[in-house]
Amino acid sequence: MTAERVYRTSHSIDISAPAGIVYGLLTDAVHWPLFLEPDVHVERLERDGTDERLRMWAFTGDSLRSWICLRVLDPLTRRVEFHHSPPQPPVKTMRGTWAVEELPGHLSRLTVLHDFTVHGGLTHEAQQVEQAVASTSRAELAGLKKAAERWRRLDDVVLCFEETVRVDAPADAVHAFLHRAGHWARLLPHVSRVRLKEPVSGIQTLTVDTLAETGATQTTESVRICFPHAGRIVYKQTVTPPLLEAHTGEWSVRSDAAGTIATAQHSVVLCEEAVPRVLGPCADLAQARRHVRETLGRASAATLEAARRHTETGWNARQG
């Protein structure tokens, strides 16, 4: 019997940050989509001591893929062992290790190792997987390096906030409004054009042209992952406004004794280099934070308010 071939890859990057900081970013996988370009959404399904089970959505090449990742965290050695269960075809098995090595001068070396096999042991498929692993690894290492090297001011460039509205209509009606975003252009005054595609049920790509206060049109693109039974839509912008390096968020609806609560959550990373270009040469990060908070908050509040009007009108008409 021919032994199954195991393919092994190794990718490393040196980082100007303490090893503890780098390891902390590794363990906080839920926030990877903010810092790692290929990652779209990560949910922690279980956590038991050093063992955790994650559901991950990320781009490999041009394809958005999803898998369960089982991880074992070892803070003493600063290693994270992982394996995919099950991996995406043509991969048969996929496991690996993240390792942080402390270097002199408060430097670190971050390495990610992958071991994988492919169904049938086909060389062509294995080469494609190897290329995808290499591309994703390099992008994730670069994102972790950038985040770690500005750890002292990470709190200044990361901003999280939410807007909420109460709706006198069923939660599923409000969720339907948020899910069917292709209708937003005729219902939201700040939106001039929307292109919505759903090539796979529950996975949407959304392109929105928004009218700025100056009258200029700003285009953003997002990948949205829909959980209708949970009343949630999570997203990551793949084309962001100039002031943002990254933007992830969630639309959610839930019911309580008084009705329905709809919430828009935002997490952003500010683009420091763009602040003087967008807001003027004297602008600083504090002004950028206020501007982003006001602009995004106003747009999401307007969307929630439109959802409230639209669903309450329809609900009251049916009740009447």
Side-chain angles (χ1 to χ4, degrees), residues 166-314:
R166 182 169 287 281
V167 185
D168 185 19
D172 58 352
V174 182
H175 180 270
F177 178 93
L178 298 171
H179 181 269
R180 295 197 290 265
H183 301 292
W184 285 1
R186 60 183 177 82
L187 298 172
L188 303 176
H190 64 282
V191 174
S192 60
R193 186 171 63 156
V194 176
R195 295 177 295 282
L196 178 68
K197 298 179 182 179
E198 192 165 354
V200 178
S201 179
I203 305 295
Q204 299 178 337
T205 57
L206 181 67
T207 304
V208 179
D209 291 345
T210 304
L211 296 175
E213 291 180 339
T214 60
T217 298
Q218 181 173 271
T219 301
T220 59
E221 295 181 4
S222 303
V223 176
R224 309 206 314 170
I225 304 168
C226 306
F227 306 95
H229 296 298
R232 301 172 58 217
I233 301 170
V234 300
Y235 64 87
K236 177 175 180 174
Q237 284 189 342
T238 53
V239 175
T240 59
L243 269 179
L244 303 184
E245 280 185 10
H247 179 194
T248 64
E250 177 175 332
W251 300 99
S252 62
V253 294
R254 61 182 177 86
S255 299
D256 62 12
T260 296
I261 299 173
T263 302
Q265 297 176 322
H266 300 274
S267 296
V268 305
V269 180
L270 299 177
C271 181
E272 297 177 82
E273 298 80 7
V275 172
R277 184 177 71 252
V278 176
L279 299 181
C282 298
D284 58 16
L285 272 177
Q287 289 173 268
R289 289 173 68 86
R290 289 194 297 271
H291 177 83
V292 169
R293 175 65 180 89
E294 292 169 1
T295 304
L296 279 182
R298 185 165 53 247
S300 57
T303 303
L304 292 174
E305 178 60 23
R308 184 193 66 78
R309 290 195 309 270
H310 183 78
T311 55
E312 286 183 349
T313 300

Side-chain angles (χ1 to χ4, degrees), residues 12-29 32 35-36 71 73-75 77-80 98-103 106-112 140-151 154:
S12 298
I13 198 167
D14 289 350
I15 301 175
S16 298
I21 296 297
V22 179
Y23 181 75
L25 287 169
L26 278 181
T27 62
D28 189 19
W32 279 8
F35 305 112
L36 310 188
R71 306 206 311 170
L73 315 179
D74 188 344
T77 62
R78 298 194 184 98
R79 295 169 68 89
V80 178
W98 289 95
V100 184
E101 178 186 357
E102 189 170 9
L103 302 178
H106 298 290
L107 303 178
S108 305
R109 178 165 296 146
L110 176 59
T111 300
V112 59
E140 291 185 331
L141 288 169
L144 289 165
K145 173 183 172 71
K146 186 171 185 177
E149 289 186 340
R150 57 182 179 183
W151 64 274
L154 211 52

Side-chain angles (χ1 to χ4, degrees), residues 129-143:
V129 172
E130 195 169 33
Q131 291 171 358
V133 167
S135 176
T136 300
S137 297
R138 285 192 290 265
E140 291 185 331
L141 288 169

